[in-house]
């Protein structure tokens, strides 16, 4: 480790004495503790302590309650789950090993709206954080912690934790300082309006304030974020992007928004990234993003000049884009703001700015209810993430999905979703590669034919029509043949195909 | 009609010439128009035009799109539905005749969060209002309209409508002037923070501003609001109230809120009213309400002195309480604020103030999903109302229900709700007469045993346990036996009892 680099990064000299190996810092943890770790969609996560805790757990099971921003990188979630480090996990994850432990019940998973965790910690609905582990690219003269590629819940963890461990990551350039805007709402009843009225506005500080006495340990690392694993666009995601762009052009033509649209949010993952990437082929200019994650597509839009500025809580990029981004950081410095996820996803701001939320559905039903989380109604995929923060409170809630999965064995359009994450009250627009259904102002009986004819795969339209026609004979605001409503899922479970043979 | 009274109420003399019979004003309507009417939970609704439109429809079907604050009184919703006045209805209703028309599909019902209708009108997601019909107790010198016992969406209707008809109701005392606080958010992107930081704060004007030229007609009425029809508390609602009070006392003891709690919201209806009434037996003092409706219980708490002040969008009272309220209006003048429902239910304010939302569930499931609207999963009862505005964005979402309905033939606690209005992500506390389940911070597998043992009727606990145990064998984050998940509802449909015989 380069001592001079470390001294430049830790600008409060007295703190240099708190540098210690991760193994030593791991001794601060005791079984059953509640731990807050930085990290949001594989960006800005602590790299050393998860591994040190896995080692530590060989001596003694830790059964921690682990709270993060969102998913961790570096296989940390999976390793910690497999080693018995974590017994309870919130508010989001995206790891295959952890997912298995969740679905067997070995790890208890609390699937939360990403805006709410900080509020629940502040209000005492969740236990107090014993130790916060926060990745930083620098510690300032006043002790304040400068985050790396994500802010997530780190500011709230630092505020509430009994002890704080800083992971100083030399692989994260010190030039990230200045990108962040740290604002944490005050406890009630002294809560004031959040003064943000524009996506790019700065309302806070560039680092997380802390009394330096509360920094219990500093662990130095030199390890990059895991690269994002989104797949490249394909014909289907191109088609979805085309439908979304045509719809947004129609909104502009109808005078419902200006040519720069309203601020965009795009969920994590391949499809949302591809749709956003499709905007580089559009005529839109002066776009803004007010999102939770920036993926490759956002940087591409910044590069093309179509995106004027972007606000988020994390930046998660592929390896080549990550390199390009850091090399050109000064070009983006005035056009990117990284905020706490409580602010990037805050109901107050989402409603005020009128966000266009673009999120991925696992499946949706003919009446517009969306399942974002549960495979077959029972098994957790990743979690609801911020989709609910944006869908409920934003101006437009658009959900995208490919019309089929598993080579046509699964239809993403079903009679009734087997788990509801977004209700018919919150869903405005549904899109698959076949088309787009604009549900605004429509009653359920008007939505069903539209969803079937516009969004379902042609192979599934006849059975969906048949279901809906028989449901109509039973009547109701939302007609269903209740004993068949979930039969497609049950058929897939037993025969691996949703269609009757 | 007393000419002097009318002249005192219409303080802009030129407008006196626009007084006309309702039958004449009804001629302004054309088939297919979009109409906005004042009225919220039977308070402040237009009394004369609905009847005149029913007469008008005898000549020609009108097939209007009718948007209100919430439900109308005076059987107006039922009469208009039966006469073919209304083809499309939003955002809420509570009328038996209209409900039948909705469930046969003759009237198309769009069931909306009550905070969102004004936003959708402003943004153009709903058609422009052709005619607004607004009940008033006075018209000021500048033409501004002073509402009566509800504000609802009236301010937004007036802003957006091509023409405005005022119903001046002499039965609503002129002394209501000053009770209202009219604030309408500006269109984006010029939207500013809503400056409200305390439930009783006034941020707007006392009347709805309008260019007097846009008042097309004034119809004079002299007709009281329909009285509320809530049932008196009974042993079960007393028990529910007791559980809620004990829980809130626990929150205070744990330091999660102060002795005056956080601002309370209580949904319309018998159970929520009874629970709130139960607070008169509690030791809480300096309570505040930030709700959508004030029922008898709120006035009783104001009278007892326990409720310091109350903010809402309407006041819906029984006949004796209504009389008492108006007789003592000056005692309440500084302690009640009536706001647009967009503000009473606004996500920004609901999150900022940290509302405790208390709403009624039709049924809930073992994992904490709530059905507020659909009987048997298909037939509309009333609508979601504002419950989602408060449950998603507030500090605590409490849902109450009696554990059984139809003399035990229906369990309100089911394996899976047949329609989801509030997802597991939004529901904090469930209560029946048997007990209370605090779901905060719990994973689905922890919630199920708690909900079954604390909330279900003893007669249904064994079958619920049996379902859950068999679901566990299938595994998952949210275990289900999918082919049985809705079988209780189906059994009730076919055999009129949820339990197998």
């Amino acid at each position: 480790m380069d001592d001079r680099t470390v001294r430049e990064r830790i600008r409060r000299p007295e703190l240099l004495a708190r540098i210690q190996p991760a193994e030593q810092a791991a001794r601060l943890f005791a079984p059953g503790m509640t731990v807050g770790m930085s990290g949001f969609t594989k960006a800005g996560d602590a790299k050393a302590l998860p591994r040190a805790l896995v080692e530590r757990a060989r001596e003694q099971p830790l059964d921690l309650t682990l709270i993060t921003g969102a998913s961790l990188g570096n296989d940390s979630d999976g390793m910690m789950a497999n080693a018995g480090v974590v017994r309870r996990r919130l508010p989001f994850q995206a790891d295959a090993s952890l997912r298995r432990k969740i679905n067997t019940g070995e790890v208890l998973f609390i699937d939360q709206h990403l805006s709410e965790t900080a509020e629940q910690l502040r209000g005492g609905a969740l236990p107090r954080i014993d130790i916060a582990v926060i990745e930083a690219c620098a510690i300032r003269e006043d002790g304040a912690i400068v985050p790396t590629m994500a802010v997530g819940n780190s500011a709230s963890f630092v505020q509430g934790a009994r002890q704080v461990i800083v992971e100083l990551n030399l692989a994260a350039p010190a030039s990230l300082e200045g990108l962040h805007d740290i604002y944490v709402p005050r406890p009630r009843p002294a809560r004031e309006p959040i003064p943000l009225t524009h996506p790019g506005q700065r309302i806070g500080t560039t680092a997380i304030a802390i009394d330096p006495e509360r920094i219990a340990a500093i662990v130095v690392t030199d390890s990059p974020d895991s690269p994002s694993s989104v797949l490249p666009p394909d014909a289907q995601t191109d088609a979805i992007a085309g439908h979304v762009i045509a719809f947004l052009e129609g909104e502009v033509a109808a005078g419902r928004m200006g040519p720069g649209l309203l601020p965009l949010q795009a969920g994590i993952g391949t499809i949302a990234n591809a749709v956003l990437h499709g905007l580089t082929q559009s005529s839109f200019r002066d776009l803004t993003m007010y999102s939770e994650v920036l993926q490759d597509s956002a940087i591409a839009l910044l590069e093309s000049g179509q995106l004027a500025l972007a606000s988020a809580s994390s930046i998660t990029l592929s390896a080549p884009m990550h390199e390009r981004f850091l090399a050109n950081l000064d070009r983006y410095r005035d056009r990117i703001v990284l905020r706490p996820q409580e602010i990037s996803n805050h109901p107050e701001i989402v409603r005020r700015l009128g966000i266009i939320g673009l999120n991925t559905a696992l499946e949706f039903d003919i009446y517009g209810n969306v399942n974002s989380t549960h495979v077959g109604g029972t098994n957790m995929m990743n979690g609801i993430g911020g989709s609910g923060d944006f869908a409920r409170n934003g101006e437009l809630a658009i959900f995208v999905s490919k019309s089929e999965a598993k080579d046509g064995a699964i239809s993403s359009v079903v009679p009734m979703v087997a788990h509801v994450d977004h209700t018919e009250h919150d869903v405005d627009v549904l899109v698959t590669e076949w088309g787009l259904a604009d549900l605004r102002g429509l009653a359920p009986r008007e939505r069903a034919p539209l969803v079937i004819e516009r969004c379902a795969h042609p192979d599934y339209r006849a059975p969906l029509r048949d279901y809906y026609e028989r449901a109509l004979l039973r009547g109701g605001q939302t007609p269903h043949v209740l004993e068949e409503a979930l039969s497609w899922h049950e058929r897939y479970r037993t025969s691996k195909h949703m269609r009757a043979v």
Side-chain angles (χ1 to χ4, degrees), chain A residues 417-456:
Chain A
V417 291
H419 182 91
V420 178
D421 291 296
H422 307 287
T423 73
E424 49 141 349
H425 312 284
D426 293 335
V427 176
D428 294 311
V429 174
L430 295 171
V431 196
T432 68
E433 72 276 20
W434 296 96
L436 180 146
D438 179 359
L439 308 181
R440 293 175 297 173
L442 298 186
R445 285 170 183 248
E446 297 171 293
R447 291 179 214 149
L450 204 63
V451 171
I452 295 170
E453 305 307 330
R454 298 274 172 86
C455 298

Side-chain angles (χ1 to χ4, degrees), chain A residues 189-252:
Chain A
R191 187 80 57 91
E192 293 291 323
I194 302 172
L196 191 148
T197 58
H198 185 270
Q201 188 179 340
R202 291 181 169 275
I203 58 174
T205 59
T206 57
I208 302 169
I210 181 174
D211 173 357
E213 287 312 304
R214 294 176 55 233
I215 297 179
I218 297 172
V219 173
V220 180
T221 66
D222 189 354
S223 176
D225 285 342
S226 298
S228 77
S229 49
V230 294
L231 303 171
D234 59 28
Q236 290 176 326
T237 62
D238 285 350
I240 292 171
H243 299 312
V244 171
I245 290 167
F247 168 77
L248 293 173
E249 287 171 346
E251 291 298 289
V252 174

Side-chain angles (χ1 to χ4, degrees), chain A residues 228-438:
Chain A
S228 77
S229 49
V230 294
L231 303 171
D234 59 28
Q236 290 176 326
T237 62
D238 285 350
I240 292 171
H243 299 312
V244 171
I245 290 167
F247 168 77
L248 293 173
E249 287 171 346
E251 291 298 289
V252 174
R256 283 193 281 270
M257 47 186 84
L261 305 181
L262 287 162
L264 293 161
Q265 173 264 338
I268 191 79
T270 294
I271 301 182
N273 183 61
V275 170
L276 208 64
H277 198 86
L279 289 178
T280 59
Q281 306 305 312
S282 76
S283 59
F284 297 120
R285 295 291 177 272
D286 299 318
L287 298 169
T288 59
M289 284 188 77
Y290 194 84
S291 195
E292 52 183 30
V293 191
L294 303 182
Q295 301 186 83
D296 283 19
S297 52
I299 308 301
L301 281 167
L302 283 170
E303 286 178 344
S304 78
Q306 289 163 284
L307 185 61
L309 53 88
S311 164
S313 192
S314 95
I315 305 175
T316 301
L317 303 174
S318 66
M321 187 59 99
H322 190 264
E323 194 175 327
R324 210 156 94 201
F325 173 74
L326 289 184
N328 295 292
L329 189 55
D330 281 338
R331 287 179 48 197
Y332 305 120
R333 191 171 289 287
D334 298 333
R335 296 163 67 199
I336 291 182
V337 186
L338 287 181
R339 309 180 187 279
Q341 70 197 72
E342 184 178 10
I343 303 300
S344 66
N345 291 32
H346 201 288
E348 172 172 343
I349 308 301
V350 171
R351 178 65 64 95
R352 182 181 303 148
L353 298 180
I355 305 298
I356 301 172
L358 192 73
N359 290 287
T360 305
L362 272 184
E363 63 175 1
F364 50 81
D365 68 29
I366 57 174
Y367 297 113
N369 300 284
V370 168
N371 174 6
S372 303
T373 57
H374 281 67
V375 176
T378 55
N379 275 34
M380 177 56 56
M381 176 58 90
N382 297 332
I384 190 169
S387 55
D389 293 319
F390 296 100
R392 170 67 57 89
N393 294 307
E395 178 70 2
L396 269 177
I398 304 175
F399 284 90
V400 297
S401 176
K402 295 186 179 185
S403 68
E404 290 184 330
K406 303 275 181 198
D407 291 326
I410 291 177
S411 172
S412 306
V413 186
V414 291
M416 178 188 268
V417 291
H419 182 91
V420 178
D421 291 296
H422 307 287
T423 73
E424 49 141 349
H425 312 284
D426 293 335
V427 176
D428 294 311
V429 174
L430 295 171
V431 196
T432 68
E433 72 276 20
W434 296 96
L436 180 146
D438 179 359

Side-chain angles (χ1 to χ4, degrees), chain A residues 13-257:
Chain A
E14 75 193 54
L15 289 178
L16 289 166
R18 295 191 210 159
I19 294 175
Q20 56 188 255
E23 298 67 37
Q24 188 180 337
R27 297 272 147 219
L28 294 170
F29 294 74
M33 274 186 169
T34 298
V35 173
M37 282 193 184
S38 68
F40 192 108
T41 55
K42 301 204 280 191
D45 53 331
K47 274 73 172 180
L49 260 300
R51 275 160 180 69
L53 290 172
V54 167
E55 289 305 313
R56 172 82 208 277
R58 291 187 207 280
E59 305 163 18
Q60 185 183 28
L62 284 171
D63 289 334
L64 304 177
T65 292
L66 176 61
I67 312 180
T68 57
S71 52
L72 301 180
N74 295 289
D75 298 323
S76 294
D77 258 327
M79 289 194 322
M80 287 194 284
N82 285 333
V85 173
V86 174
R87 170 64 180 145
R88 185 181 295 271
R89 181 77 176 87
L90 58 153
F92 185 82
Q93 62 79 39
D95 181 277
S97 298
L98 174 54
R99 186 180 297 142
R100 274 192 295 275
K101 295 279 185 190
I102 287 170
N103 287 322
T104 59
E106 293 166 89
V107 172
L108 293 165
F109 179 55
I110 296 110
D111 181 22
Q112 290 194 320
H113 300 300
L114 294 186
S115 77
E116 293 194 353
T117 312
E119 192 76 86
Q120 292 195 3
L121 283 167
R122 187 182 303 120
L126 291 171
R128 185 175 172 190
I129 302 278
D130 293 299
I131 301 180
V133 184
I134 308 294
E135 182 176 87
C137 66
I139 297 177
R140 295 196 323 196
E141 294 77 356
D142 60 0
I145 299 164
V146 182
T148 56
M149 293 287 271
V151 178
N153 283 318
S154 294
S156 293
F157 293 158
V158 168
Q159 274 193 355
R162 293 177 217 276
Q163 290 188 298
V164 175
I165 299 173
V166 176
E167 281 203 8
L168 181 77
N169 188 349
L170 302 178
S175 55
L176 290 175
E177 187 171 351
L179 221 56
H180 314 93
D181 185 60
I182 310 297
Y183 177 96
V184 179
R186 293 173 63 188
R188 302 183 185 107
R191 187 80 57 91
E192 293 291 323
I194 302 172
L196 191 148
T197 58
H198 185 270
Q201 188 179 340
R202 291 181 169 275
I203 58 174
T205 59
T206 57
I208 302 169
I210 181 174
D211 173 357
E213 287 312 304
R214 294 176 55 233
I215 297 179
I218 297 172
V219 173
V220 180
T221 66
D222 189 354
S223 176
D225 285 342
S226 298
S228 77
S229 49
V230 294
L231 303 171
D234 59 28
Q236 290 176 326
T237 62
D238 285 350
I240 292 171
H243 299 312
V244 171
I245 290 167
F247 168 77
L248 293 173
E249 287 171 346
E251 291 298 289
V252 174
R256 283 193 281 270
M257 47 186 84

